[in-house]
Amino acid sequence: FHVRDNGIGMSREFQEHLFESFTREETSTVSGIQGTGLGMAINVSHMVQEIAMELLSNAGFSVSLADDGDVAVETLRTAAPDQFDLVLMDITMPDMDGIQALKKIKEIDPNANIIMCSAMGQQAMVIEAIQSGAKDFIVKPFQAERVLEAVKKVVG
């Protein structure tokens, strides 16, 4: 699993820990102000998408991206049979949330392999996702081993 050079002077050693909860690189520029170390405006969902896509691509999977639940449902509705082996979907998405999308996808294909993910892994959320038809649930920040383990378990 490789994190691309981000162009802001972050050390390669720290990049390996970038998505651990509440980590911060210690450099001479760090002030006495406490915090998470995320001092820049970033689109976390797009960053997570890129990481998941790169992780799965590096593991040999062909990956397509849908930016929200509506697009995911429509993509699967118009896809050729067996075009997709797996859907990795966040619960929190614009327009249609992940649980709504999961239910619609299951109407289209009751056998669809769906893994849900979220930064909020409350037990009720996990139970709802599994009861709605998700095959697994991954809590973010992603750990590469956990993602690959879940994918391999679901698709063989």
Side-chain angles (χ1 to χ4, degrees):
F1 178 47
H2 169 73
V3 177
R4 292 182 192 139
D5 182 9
N6 59 17
I8 60 170
M10 188 180 302
S11 68
R12 290 246 177 240
E13 293 79 21
F14 184 71
Q15 287 180 17
E16 295 175 13
H17 303 283
L18 182 62
F19 294 101
E20 293 173 5
S21 297
F22 306 108
T23 59
R24 182 177 185 166
E25 183 169 30
E26 293 190 31
T27 66
S28 61
T29 60
V30 174
S31 69
I33 299 170
Q34 296 299 310
T36 64
L38 296 177
M40 64 190 99
I42 56 175
N43 185 328
V44 175
S45 63
H46 284 205
M47 185 182 299
V48 170
Q49 286 175 344
E50 285 185 31
I51 290 168
M53 288 179 67
E54 185 168 332
L55 172 65
L56 294 171
S57 293
N58 288 342
F61 294 97
S62 176
V63 182
S64 296
L65 175 65
D67 282 327
D68 62 44
D70 290 323
V71 173
V73 169
E74 189 56 29
T75 299
L76 291 167
R77 182 183 326 278
T78 60
D82 301 324
Q83 182 175 347
F84 295 100
D85 294 320
L86 173 79
V87 175
L88 175 62
M89 184 167 37
D90 200 316
I91 281 186
T92 307
M93 295 186 295
D95 300 322
M96 180 188 308
D97 72 34
I99 296 293
Q100 293 169 321
L102 182 150
K103 290 176 180 177
K104 288 187 178 211
I105 291 167
K106 285 296 193 172
E107 289 173 8
I108 296 166
D109 179 1
N111 298 315
N113 294 316
I114 301 173
I115 298 175
M116 299 299 295
C117 63
S118 177
M120 305 171 288
Q122 294 98 344
Q123 185 175 5
M125 181 183 290
V126 174
I127 290 170
E128 182 180 14
I130 299 299
Q131 287 178 343
S132 297
K135 302 278 175 124
D136 206 341
F137 191 100
I138 301 172
V139 178
K140 295 185 289 184
F142 285 148
Q143 294 179 340
E145 300 82 23
R146 172 67 179 110
V147 173
L148 293 176
E149 170 191 302
V151 169
K152 289 176 183 175
K153 178 179 88 174
V154 171
V155 297

